[in-house]
Coordinates of all heavy atoms in Angstrom, one line a residue:
M1 N 0.9 -1.1 0.0 CA 0.0 0.0 0.0 C 1.0 1.2 0.0 O 1.8 1.3 0.7 CB -0.9 0.0 1.3 CG -1.5 1.3 1.6 SD -2.7 1.4 3.1 CE -1.8 0.5 4.3
T2 N 0.7 2.2 -0.9 CA 1.4 3.3 -0.9 C 0.7 4.4 0.0 O -0.5 4.3 0.3 CB 1.5 4.1 -2.3 OG1 0.1 4.2 -2.8 CG2 2.2 3.1 -3.4
T3 N 1.5 5.1 0.5 CA 0.9 6.2 1.5 C 1.5 7.5 1.2 O 2.6 7.8 0.6 CB 1.4 5.8 3.0 OG1 2.7 5.9 3.2 CG2 0.8 4.5 3.5
D4 N 0.9 8.7 1.6 CA 1.3 10.0 1.5 C 1.3 10.5 2.9 O 0.6 10.2 3.8 CB 0.4 10.8 0.6 CG 0.4 10.4 -0.8 OD1 1.5 10.2 -1.3 OD2 -0.6 10.2 -1.4
Q5 N 2.2 11.4 3.1 CA 2.4 12.1 4.4 C 1.7 13.4 4.3 O 1.6 14.1 3.2 CB 4.0 12.4 4.6 CG 4.1 13.0 6.0 CD 5.7 13.0 6.3 OE1 6.5 12.4 5.7 NE2 5.9 13.7 7.4
I6 N 1.0 13.8 5.3 CA 0.3 15.0 5.5 C 0.9 15.8 6.9 O 1.4 15.1 7.7 CB -1.2 15.1 5.7 CG1 -1.6 14.2 6.8 CG2 -1.7 14.3 4.3 CD1 -3.2 14.2 7.1
A7 N 0.7 17.0 6.8 CA 1.2 17.8 8.0 C -0.1 18.5 8.6 O -1.0 18.9 7.9 CB 2.1 18.9 7.5
V8 N -0.1 18.3 9.9 CA -1.2 18.9 10.7 C -0.8 19.7 11.8 O 0.1 19.4 12.6 CB -2.1 17.7 11.2 CG1 -3.3 18.3 12.0 CG2 -2.6 16.8 10.2
R9 N -1.2 21.0 11.9 CA -1.0 21.8 13.0 C -2.0 21.6 14.1 O -3.2 21.8 13.8 CB -0.8 23.2 12.5 CG 0.3 23.6 11.7 CD 0.5 25.1 11.4 NE 1.6 25.3 10.8 CZ 2.9 25.4 11.1 NH1 3.1 25.2 12.4 NH2 3.9 25.7 10.3
L10 N -1.7 21.4 15.4 CA -2.6 21.4 16.4 C -2.4 22.5 17.5 O -1.1 22.9 17.6 CB -2.4 20.0 17.0 CG -2.6 18.8 16.2 CD1 -2.3 17.5 17.0 CD2 -4.2 18.8 15.6
P11 N -3.3 23.0 18.1 CA -3.2 23.9 19.2 C -2.4 23.2 20.3 O -2.6 22.0 20.5 CB -4.5 24.2 19.7 CG -5.5 23.8 18.5 CD -4.9 22.7 17.9
A12 N -1.7 23.9 21.1 CA -0.8 23.3 22.2 C -1.6 22.4 23.2 O -1.2 21.3 23.5 CB -0.1 24.4 23.0
L13 N -2.8 22.7 23.5 CA -3.6 22.0 24.5 C -4.0 20.7 23.9 O -3.9 19.6 24.6 CB -4.9 22.8 25.0 CG -5.8 21.9 25.9 CD1 -5.1 21.6 27.2 CD2 -7.0 22.8 26.2
L14 N -4.5 20.6 22.7 CA -4.9 19.4 21.9 C -3.6 18.5 21.8 O -3.6 17.3 21.9 CB -5.5 19.7 20.6 CG -6.1 18.6 19.9 CD1 -7.1 17.8 20.6 CD2 -6.7 19.0 18.6
L15 N -2.4 19.1 21.4 CA -1.2 18.3 21.3 C -0.8 17.7 22.6 O -0.4 16.6 22.6 CB -0.1 19.3 20.6 CG 1.2 18.4 20.4 CD1 1.0 17.4 19.5 CD2 2.2 19.5 19.9
S16 N -1.0 18.5 23.6 CA -0.7 17.9 25.0 C -1.5 16.7 25.3 O -1.2 15.6 25.8 CB -0.8 19.0 26.1 OG -0.7 18.5 27.3
E17 N -2.8 16.9 25.0 CA -3.8 15.7 25.3 C -3.4 14.4 24.3 O -3.5 13.3 24.8 CB -5.2 16.2 25.0 CG -5.7 17.2 26.0 CD -7.0 17.8 25.7 OE1 -7.6 17.6 24.5 OE2 -7.7 18.6 26.6
L18 N -3.1 14.8 23.2 CA -2.6 13.8 22.3 C -1.5 13.1 22.8 O -1.3 11.7 22.9 CB -2.4 14.2 20.8 CG -1.8 13.3 19.8 CD1 -2.9 12.1 19.5 CD2 -1.4 14.0 18.5
D19 N -0.3 13.8 23.3 CA 0.8 13.2 23.8 C 0.5 12.5 25.1 O 1.0 11.3 25.4 CB 1.8 14.4 24.2 CG 2.5 14.9 23.0 OD1 2.4 14.2 21.8 OD2 3.1 16.0 23.0
D20 N -0.5 12.8 25.8 CA -0.9 12.1 27.2 C -1.5 10.7 26.6 O -1.2 9.7 27.3 CB -1.8 12.9 27.9 CG -2.4 12.1 29.2 OD1 -1.5 11.8 29.9 OD2 -3.6 11.9 29.3
I21 N -2.4 10.7 25.6 CA -3.0 9.5 25.2 C -1.8 8.5 24.7 O -1.9 7.3 25.0 CB -3.8 9.8 23.9 CG1 -5.2 10.5 24.6 CG2 -4.2 8.5 23.3 CD1 -6.1 11.1 23.5
V22 N -0.8 9.1 24.0 CA 0.3 8.2 23.5 C 1.1 7.7 24.8 O 1.5 6.5 24.8 CB 1.2 9.0 22.5 CG1 2.4 8.2 22.2 CG2 0.4 9.3 21.2
S23 N 1.3 8.6 25.7 CA 2.3 8.2 26.8 C 1.5 7.1 27.5 O 2.1 6.3 28.3 CB 2.6 9.4 27.6 OG 1.5 9.8 28.4
R24 N 0.2 7.0 27.5 CA -0.6 6.0 28.3 C -0.7 4.8 27.5 O -1.1 3.7 28.0 CB -1.9 6.5 28.8 CG -1.9 7.6 29.7 CD -3.4 7.9 30.2 NE -4.0 8.9 29.3 CZ -5.1 8.7 28.7 NH1 -5.8 7.6 28.9 NH2 -5.6 9.6 27.9
G25 N -0.1 4.8 26.3 CA 0.0 3.6 25.5 C -1.3 3.2 24.8 O -1.4 2.2 24.2
V26 N -2.2 4.2 24.6 CA -3.4 3.9 24.0 C -3.1 3.8 22.4 O -3.7 3.0 21.8 CB -4.4 5.1 24.2 CG1 -5.7 5.0 23.3 CG2 -4.7 5.2 25.7
Y27 N -2.2 4.8 22.0 CA -1.8 4.6 20.6 C -0.2 4.6 20.7 O 0.5 5.1 21.7 CB -2.1 5.6 19.8 CG -3.6 5.7 19.5 CD1 -4.6 6.4 20.3 CD2 -4.2 4.9 18.5 CE1 -5.9 6.4 20.0 CE2 -5.4 4.9 18.4 CZ -6.3 5.5 19.1 OH -7.8 5.5 18.7
E28 N 0.4 4.0 19.8 CA 1.9 3.7 19.7 C 2.7 5.1 19.5 O 3.7 5.2 20.0 CB 2.3 2.7 18.5 CG 3.7 2.4 18.5 CD 4.0 1.4 17.3 OE1 3.3 0.4 17.3 OE2 4.8 1.8 16.5
S29 N 2.0 6.0 18.7 CA 2.6 7.2 18.4 C 1.6 8.3 18.0 O 0.4 8.0 17.8 CB 3.5 7.0 17.3 OG 2.8 6.7 16.0
R30 N 2.0 9.5 17.9 CA 1.2 10.6 17.6 C 0.5 10.2 16.2 O -0.7 10.4 16.0 CB 1.8 12.0 17.4 CG 2.3 12.6 18.6 CD 3.1 13.8 18.4 NE 3.3 14.6 19.4 CZ 4.1 15.7 19.4 NH1 4.7 16.1 18.3 NH2 4.3 16.3 20.6
A31 N 1.3 9.7 15.2 CA 0.9 9.4 13.9 C -0.2 8.3 14.0 O -1.1 8.4 13.3 CB 2.2 8.8 13.0
A32 N 0.0 7.3 14.8 CA -0.9 6.3 14.9 C -2.4 6.8 15.4 O -3.3 6.4 14.9 CB -0.4 5.2 15.8
A33 N -2.3 7.7 16.4 CA -3.5 8.2 16.9 C -4.3 9.1 15.8 O -5.3 9.2 15.6 CB -3.1 9.2 18.1
V34 N -3.4 9.8 15.1 CA -3.9 10.7 14.0 C -4.6 9.8 12.9 O -5.8 10.0 12.5 CB -2.9 11.6 13.3 CG1 -3.4 12.3 12.2 CG2 -2.5 12.8 14.4
R35 N -4.0 8.8 12.6 CA -4.4 7.8 11.6 C -5.8 7.3 12.2 O -6.8 7.1 11.3 CB -3.5 6.6 11.3 CG -2.5 6.9 10.3 CD -1.7 5.7 9.7 NE -1.0 5.1 10.9 CZ 0.2 5.4 11.2 NH1 0.8 6.5 10.6 NH2 0.8 4.9 12.2
A36 N -5.8 6.9 13.4 CA -7.0 6.3 14.0 C -8.2 7.3 13.9 O -9.4 6.9 13.6 CB -6.8 5.7 15.4
G37 N -7.8 8.6 14.3 CA -8.9 9.6 14.2 C -9.4 9.7 12.8 O -10.6 9.9 12.6
I38 N -8.5 9.8 11.8 CA -9.0 10.0 10.4 C -9.8 8.7 10.0 O -10.8 8.9 9.3 CB -7.8 10.2 9.5 CG1 -7.1 11.5 9.8 CG2 -8.1 10.1 8.0 CD1 -5.8 11.7 9.2
E39 N -9.3 7.5 10.3 CA -10.2 6.4 10.0 C -11.6 6.5 10.6 O -12.5 6.1 10.0 CB -9.5 5.1 10.5 CG -8.2 4.6 9.8 CD -7.5 3.6 10.3 OE1 -7.7 3.1 11.4 OE2 -6.3 3.2 9.7
I40 N -11.6 6.9 11.8 CA -12.9 7.0 12.5 C -13.8 8.1 11.8 O -15.0 7.7 11.5 CB -12.8 7.3 14.1 CG1 -12.2 6.1 14.8 CG2 -13.9 7.8 14.7 CD1 -11.7 6.5 16.1
I41 N -13.3 9.2 11.6 CA -14.2 10.3 11.0 C -14.6 9.8 9.5 O -15.7 10.1 9.1 CB -13.6 11.6 10.9 CG1 -12.3 11.7 10.2 CG2 -13.5 12.1 12.3 CD1 -11.8 13.2 10.0
T42 N -13.7 9.2 8.9 CA -14.0 8.6 7.5 C -15.1 7.6 7.5 O -16.1 7.7 6.7 CB -12.7 8.0 6.8 OG1 -11.6 9.0 6.7 CG2 -13.0 7.5 5.4
E43 N -15.1 6.6 8.6 CA -16.1 5.7 8.6 C -17.4 6.3 9.1 O -18.5 6.0 8.6 CB -15.7 4.6 9.7 CG -16.8 3.6 10.0 CD -17.3 2.7 8.7 OE1 -16.5 2.7 7.8 OE2 -18.3 2.2 8.8
L44 N -17.3 7.3 10.0 CA -18.6 8.0 10.3 C -19.2 8.7 9.3 O -20.5 8.5 9.1 CB -18.4 9.0 11.5 CG -18.1 8.5 12.8 CD1 -17.6 9.5 13.9 CD2 -19.2 7.6 13.5
E45 N -18.5 9.4 8.4 CA -18.9 10.0 7.2 C -19.6 9.1 6.2 O -20.6 9.4 5.7 CB -17.9 10.9 6.6 CG -18.3 11.6 5.3 CD -19.6 12.5 5.4 OE1 -19.8 13.0 6.7 OE2 -20.5 12.6 4.5
R46 N -18.9 8.0 6.1 CA -19.4 6.9 5.1 C -20.8 6.4 5.6 O -21.8 6.3 4.8 CB -18.5 5.8 5.1 CG -19.0 4.6 4.0 CD -18.0 3.5 4.1 NE -18.3 2.6 5.3 CZ -19.3 1.9 5.5 NH1 -20.3 1.7 4.6 NH2 -19.5 1.2 6.8
Q47 N -21.0 6.2 7.0 CA -22.2 5.8 7.6 C -23.3 6.9 7.4 O -24.4 6.6 7.0 CB -22.1 5.5 9.1 CG -21.2 4.1 9.2 CD -20.9 3.9 10.7 OE1 -21.4 4.5 11.6 NE2 -20.1 2.8 10.9
Q48 N -22.9 8.2 7.7 CA -23.9 9.2 7.4 C -24.3 9.4 6.1 O -25.4 9.7 5.8 CB -23.2 10.4 7.9 CG -23.1 10.6 9.3 CD -22.5 11.8 9.9 OE1 -22.0 12.6 9.2 NE2 -22.3 12.0 11.3
H49 N -23.4 9.2 5.1 CA -23.7 9.1 3.7 C -24.9 8.1 3.3 O -25.8 8.3 2.6 CB -22.5 8.9 2.8 CG -22.8 8.9 1.3 ND1 -23.2 10.1 0.5 CD2 -22.9 7.9 0.5 CE1 -23.3 9.8 -0.7 NE2 -23.1 8.5 -0.7
I50 N -24.6 6.9 3.8 CA -25.5 5.8 3.7 C -26.9 6.2 4.3 O -27.9 6.0 3.7 CB -25.0 4.5 4.2 CG1 -23.8 4.0 3.3 CG2 -26.1 3.4 4.2 CD1 -22.9 2.9 3.9
D51 N -26.8 6.7 5.5 CA -28.1 7.1 6.2 C -28.9 8.1 5.4 O -30.0 8.0 5.3 CB -27.7 7.6 7.6 CG -27.1 6.6 8.5 OD1 -27.3 5.3 8.3 OD2 -26.7 7.0 9.6
R52 N -28.1 9.1 5.0 CA -28.8 10.1 4.2 C -29.4 9.6 2.9 O -30.5 10.1 2.4 CB -27.8 11.3 3.8 CG -27.5 12.2 5.0 CD -26.7 13.4 4.6 NE -25.3 13.0 4.1 CZ -24.3 13.0 4.8 NH1 -24.3 13.2 5.9 NH2 -23.1 12.7 4.2
A53 N -28.8 8.6 2.3 CA -29.3 8.0 1.0 C -30.6 7.2 1.3 O -31.6 7.2 0.6 CB -28.2 7.1 0.4
I54 N -30.5 6.5 2.4 CA -31.8 5.7 2.9 C -32.9 6.7 3.1 O -34.0 6.5 2.7 CB -31.5 4.8 4.1 CG1 -30.5 3.7 3.7 CG2 -32.8 4.3 4.7 CD1 -29.9 3.0 4.9
I55 N -32.6 7.6 4.0 CA -33.7 8.7 4.2 C -34.2 9.3 2.9 O -35.4 9.5 2.8 CB -33.1 9.7 5.1 CG1 -32.9 9.2 6.6 CG2 -34.1 11.0 5.3 CD1 -32.1 10.0 7.5
D56 N -33.3 9.7 2.1 CA -33.8 10.3 0.8 C -34.6 9.3 -0.1 O -35.7 9.6 -0.5 CB -32.5 10.6 0.0 CG -32.9 11.3 -1.4 OD1 -33.6 12.3 -1.3 OD2 -32.4 10.8 -2.4
G57 N -34.3 8.0 0.0 CA -35.0 7.0 -0.7 C -36.4 7.0 -0.1 O -37.4 6.9 -0.9
Y58 N -36.5 6.9 1.2 CA -37.9 6.8 1.8 C -38.7 8.0 1.8 O -39.9 8.0 1.8 CB -37.8 6.5 3.3 CG -37.6 5.0 3.5 CD1 -36.3 4.4 3.8 CD2 -38.6 4.1 3.3 CE1 -36.2 2.9 4.0 CE2 -38.6 2.7 3.5 CZ -37.4 2.2 3.9 OH -37.3 0.9 4.1
T59 N -37.9 9.2 1.5 CA -38.7 10.4 1.3 C -39.3 10.6 0.1 O -40.4 11.0 -0.3 CB -37.8 11.7 1.6 OG1 -37.1 11.6 3.0 CG2 -38.4 12.9 1.4
R60 N -38.4 10.0 -1.0 CA -38.9 10.1 -2.4 C -40.0 9.0 -2.6 O -40.9 9.3 -3.4 CB -37.7 9.9 -3.4 CG -36.9 11.0 -3.6 CD -35.9 10.9 -4.6 NE -34.8 10.1 -4.1 CZ -34.5 8.8 -4.6 NH1 -35.2 8.3 -5.6 NH2 -33.5 8.1 -4.0
R61 N -39.9 7.9 -1.9 CA -40.9 6.8 -2.1 C -41.3 6.2 -0.7 O -40.6 5.3 -0.2 CB -40.3 5.7 -3.0 CG -41.4 4.6 -3.3 CD -40.8 3.6 -4.3 NE -41.8 2.6 -4.5 CZ -41.8 1.5 -3.8 NH1 -41.0 1.3 -2.8 NH2 -42.6 0.5 -4.0
P62 N -42.2 6.8 -0.1 CA -42.6 6.4 1.2 C -43.1 5.0 1.3 O -43.7 4.5 0.2 CB -43.5 7.4 1.8 CG -43.7 8.4 0.8 CD -43.0 8.0 -0.5
P63 N -43.1 4.2 2.4 CA -43.6 2.8 2.4 C -45.1 2.9 2.2 O -45.7 3.9 2.7 CB -43.2 2.4 3.6 CG -42.7 3.5 4.5 CD -42.4 4.5 3.6
T64 N -45.7 1.9 1.5 CA -47.2 1.9 1.4 C -47.7 1.4 2.8 O -47.0 1.0 3.7 CB -47.5 0.9 0.3 OG1 -47.1 -0.4 0.7 CG2 -46.9 1.2 -0.9
E65 N -49.0 1.6 2.9 CA -49.7 1.1 4.2 C -49.4 -0.5 4.3 O -49.2 -0.8 5.5 CB -51.2 1.4 4.1 CG -52.0 1.0 5.3 CD -53.4 1.4 5.3 OE1 -53.9 2.0 4.3 OE2 -54.1 0.9 6.3
T66 N -49.4 -1.1 3.2 CA -49.2 -2.6 3.3 C -47.8 -2.9 3.8 O -47.6 -3.7 4.8 CB -49.5 -3.3 2.0 OG1 -50.7 -3.0 1.6 CG2 -49.2 -4.8 2.0
E67 N -46.9 -2.2 3.4 CA -45.5 -2.3 3.8 C -45.3 -1.9 5.3 O -44.5 -2.6 6.1 CB -44.5 -1.5 2.9 CG -44.5 -2.1 1.5 CD -43.7 -1.1 0.5 OE1 -43.8 0.1 0.8 OE2 -43.1 -1.6 -0.4
E68 N -45.9 -0.9 5.7 CA -45.8 -0.5 7.1 C -46.5 -1.6 8.0 O -46.0 -1.9 9.0 CB -46.6 0.8 7.3 CG -45.8 2.1 6.8 CD -46.4 3.4 7.1 OE1 -47.4 3.5 7.9 OE2 -45.9 4.4 6.6
L69 N -47.7 -2.2 7.6 CA -48.3 -3.1 8.4 C -47.5 -4.3 8.5 O -47.3 -5.0 9.5 CB -49.7 -3.5 8.0 CG -50.7 -2.2 8.0 CD1 -52.0 -2.7 7.3 CD2 -51.0 -1.9 9.5
A70 N -46.8 -4.7 7.5 CA -46.0 -5.9 7.3 C -44.7 -5.6 8.4 O -44.3 -6.6 9.0 CB -45.5 -6.2 5.9
A71 N -44.2 -4.4 8.3 CA -43.0 -4.0 9.2 C -43.4 -4.2 10.7 O -42.7 -4.7 11.4 CB -42.5 -2.8 8.8
I72 N -44.6 -3.7 11.0 CA -45.0 -3.9 12.3 C -45.3 -5.3 12.8 O -44.9 -5.6 13.9 CB -46.5 -2.9 12.6 CG1 -46.0 -1.4 12.4 CG2 -47.0 -3.2 13.8 CD1 -47.2 -0.4 12.3
A73 N -45.9 -6.0 11.9 CA -46.2 -7.4 12.2 C -44.8 -8.2 12.5 O -44.6 -8.9 13.4 CB -46.9 -8.1 11.0
S74 N -43.8 -7.9 11.6 CA -42.5 -8.4 11.7 C -41.9 -8.1 13.1 O -41.3 -8.9 13.7 CB -41.6 -8.0 10.5 OG -40.4 -8.6 10.7
L75 N -42.0 -6.8 13.5 CA -41.5 -6.3 14.7 C -42.2 -7.1 15.9 O -41.4 -7.5 16.9 CB -41.6 -4.8 14.9 CG -41.1 -4.2 16.0 CD1 -39.7 -4.4 16.2 CD2 -41.5 -2.7 16.0
R76 N -43.4 -7.2 15.8 CA -44.2 -7.8 16.9 C -43.7 -9.3 17.1 O -43.5 -9.9 18.1 CB -45.7 -7.8 16.7 CG -46.2 -6.6 16.9 CD -47.7 -6.5 16.8 NE -48.3 -5.3 17.0 CZ -49.1 -4.5 16.5 NH1 -49.8 -5.1 15.4 NH2 -49.6 -3.3 16.9
E77 N -43.4 -10.0 15.8 CA -42.9 -11.4 15.9 C -41.6 -11.5 16.6 O -41.3 -12.4 17.3 CB -43.0 -12.0 14.6 CG -44.4 -12.3 14.0 CD -44.2 -12.7 12.5 OE1 -43.2 -13.2 12.1 OE2 -45.3 -12.7 11.8
A78 N -40.7 -10.5 16.2 CA -39.4 -10.4 16.7 C -39.5 -10.3 18.2 O -38.6 -10.9 18.8 CB -38.6 -9.3 16.0
I79 N -40.3 -9.4 18.7 CA -40.4 -9.1 20.2 C -40.8 -10.5 20.8 O -40.4 -10.8 21.8 CB -41.3 -8.1 20.4 CG1 -40.7 -6.7 20.0 CG2 -41.7 -8.0 21.9 CD1 -41.6 -5.4 20.1
L80 N -41.8 -11.2 20.3 CA -42.3 -12.4 20.9 C -41.2 -13.5 21.0 O -41.3 -14.3 21.7 CB -43.6 -12.9 20.1 CG -44.8 -12.0 20.3 CD1 -45.9 -12.6 19.3 CD2 -45.3 -12.0 21.6
D81 N -40.3 -13.5 20.0 CA -39.3 -14.4 19.9 C -38.2 -14.2 21.0 O -37.3 -15.0 21.1 CB -38.7 -14.4 18.5 CG -39.6 -15.1 17.4 OD1 -40.5 -15.8 17.8 OD2 -39.4 -14.8 16.2
E82 N -38.1 -13.0 21.4 CA -37.1 -12.6 22.4 C -37.3 -13.6 23.7 O -38.4 -13.8 24.2 CB -37.1 -11.2 22.8 CG -36.6 -10.3 21.8 CD -35.1 -10.5 21.5 OE1 -34.3 -10.8 22.5 OE2 -34.7 -10.4 20.3
P83 N -36.1 -14.0 24.3 CA -36.1 -14.8 25.4 C -36.4 -14.2 26.8 O -35.8 -14.5 27.7 CB -34.9 -15.7 25.4 CG -34.0 -14.6 24.7 CD -34.8 -13.9 23.8
W84 N -37.1 -13.1 26.8 CA -37.2 -12.2 28.0 C -38.0 -13.0 29.0 O -38.6 -13.0 29.9 CB -37.9 -10.8 27.7 CG -37.1 -10.1 26.7 CD1 -35.8 -10.2 26.3 CD2 -37.6 -9.1 25.9 NE1 -35.6 -9.3 25.2 CE2 -36.7 -8.6 25.0 CE3 -38.9 -8.5 25.7 CZ2 -36.9 -7.6 24.2 CZ3 -39.1 -7.4 24.9 CH2 -38.1 -7.0 24.2

């Protein structure tokens, strides 16, 4: 895998907090922590993009009454199947 280096400027307080996280062994290095943060925000944005697409689809084509009733029936069956 090829990689590219980026430079990030951080305020002193945030850098201090980052160094504390690294010193406690949560991440191996500053770079590892930054990579993890970027991976997290990338994944969150991907999930939000999917969520927005689903909402858009249901907004453009709402479920029919039959589909809503089937969903409620399915939910009731799932609840009854729970070992509570």
Side-chain angles (χ1 to χ4, degrees):
M1 160 176 51
T2 59
T3 61
D4 287 317
Q5 186 171 348
I6 63 171
V8 179
R9 291 190 178 275
L10 300 176
L13 179 58
L14 186 55
L15 184 58
S16 175
E17 291 173 351
L18 177 62
D19 286 341
D20 180 57
I21 291 169
V22 171
S23 71
R24 288 185 282 124
V26 178
Y27 292 97
E28 183 179 307
S29 64
R30 286 177 173 177
V34 170
R35 273 192 300 277
I38 292 170
E39 289 170 358
I40 289 167
I41 62 171
T42 301
E43 176 60 19
L44 288 173
E45 178 53 36
R46 186 188 68 77
Q47 290 174 8
Q48 288 176 357
H49 178 74
I50 292 169
D51 292 347
R52 287 189 297 266
I54 291 169
I55 291 168
D56 182 54
Y58 277 105
T59 301
R60 283 186 284 113
R61 186 175 174 271
T64 64
E65 183 179 350
T66 302
E67 291 168 334
E68 285 186 7
L69 292 174
I72 291 170
S74 176
L75 179 60
R76 287 188 176 134
E77 288 176 22
I79 290 171
L80 292 174
D81 288 342
E82 286 294 325
W84 306 339

